[in-house]
């Protein structure tokens, strides 16, 4: 982790994308605001990214999709993004739930 000398969220977002092997974006519905910027930066810099729309996925389905994506892309350093909790009060909890379930069950299928 490195502190940046700027408070500019677009610059921080770009650096987070560049410093990771891939980006996970979690939302409830369509992407907006900074999440769209994150996706565009990942695409521009040809970094793998995945969007999990939790309005369409159960936690278990999201974990399965994320596991496959991580393994297929050799992700070691994961950038996690999504809307602010002021825009989506449940996004933090569902993201933690997905990641905890993934890590508790391991990345490799048995």
């Amino acid at each position: 982790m490195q502190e940046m000398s700027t408070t500019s969220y677009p610059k921080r977002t770009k650096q987070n994308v560049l410093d990771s092997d891939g980006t996970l974006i979690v939302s409830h519905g369509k992407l907006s605001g900074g999440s769209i910027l994150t996706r565009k930066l990942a695409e521009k810099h040809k970094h793998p990214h995945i969007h999990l729309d939790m309005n369409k996925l159960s936690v278990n389905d999201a974990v399965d999709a994320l596991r496959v994506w991580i393994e297929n892309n050799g992700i070691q350093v994961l950038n996690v993004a999504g809307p602010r909790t002021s825009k989506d009060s449940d996004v933090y909890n569902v993201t933690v739930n997905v990641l905890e379930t993934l890590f508790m069950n391991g990345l490799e299928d048995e």
Side-chain angles (χ1 to χ4, degrees), residues 1 3 23-24 35 43 52 55 59 61 72-73 83 93 95 105:
M1 183 182 302
E3 184 175 354
T23 297
L24 162 64
S35 298
E43 290 170 350
L52 300 179
N55 283 343
V59 168
D61 289 341
N72 286 346
N73 289 283
N93 290 331
T95 301
N105 294 332

Side-chain angles (χ1 to χ4, degrees), residues 15-74:
Q15 198 61 52
N16 287 338
V17 167
L18 294 175
D19 287 347
S20 67
D21 298 319
T23 297
L24 162 64
I25 308 170
V26 181
S27 74
H28 289 100
K30 290 183 177 183
L31 298 181
S32 62
S35 298
I36 291 174
L37 174 64
T38 301
R39 183 189 64 208
K40 286 181 179 179
L41 288 167
E43 290 170 350
K44 177 181 178 180
H45 295 284
K46 297 180 178 22
H47 277 235
H49 63 284
I50 184 172
H51 171 216
L52 300 179
D53 180 349
M54 298 309 294
N55 283 343
K56 297 179 180 178
L57 297 168
S58 68
V59 168
N60 287 335
D61 289 341
V63 168
D64 290 343
L66 183 57
R67 177 183 292 113
V68 168
W69 176 80
I70 286 172
E71 290 174 356
N72 286 346
N73 289 283

Side-chain angles (χ1 to χ4, degrees), residues 67 71 105-110:
R67 177 183 292 113
E71 290 174 356
N105 294 332
L107 286 174
E108 296 180 19
D109 291 328
E110 297 187 19

Side-chain angles (χ1 to χ4, degrees), residues 83-89:
R84 299 172 185 261
T85 55
S86 62
K87 303 277 184 191
D88 181 347
S89 61

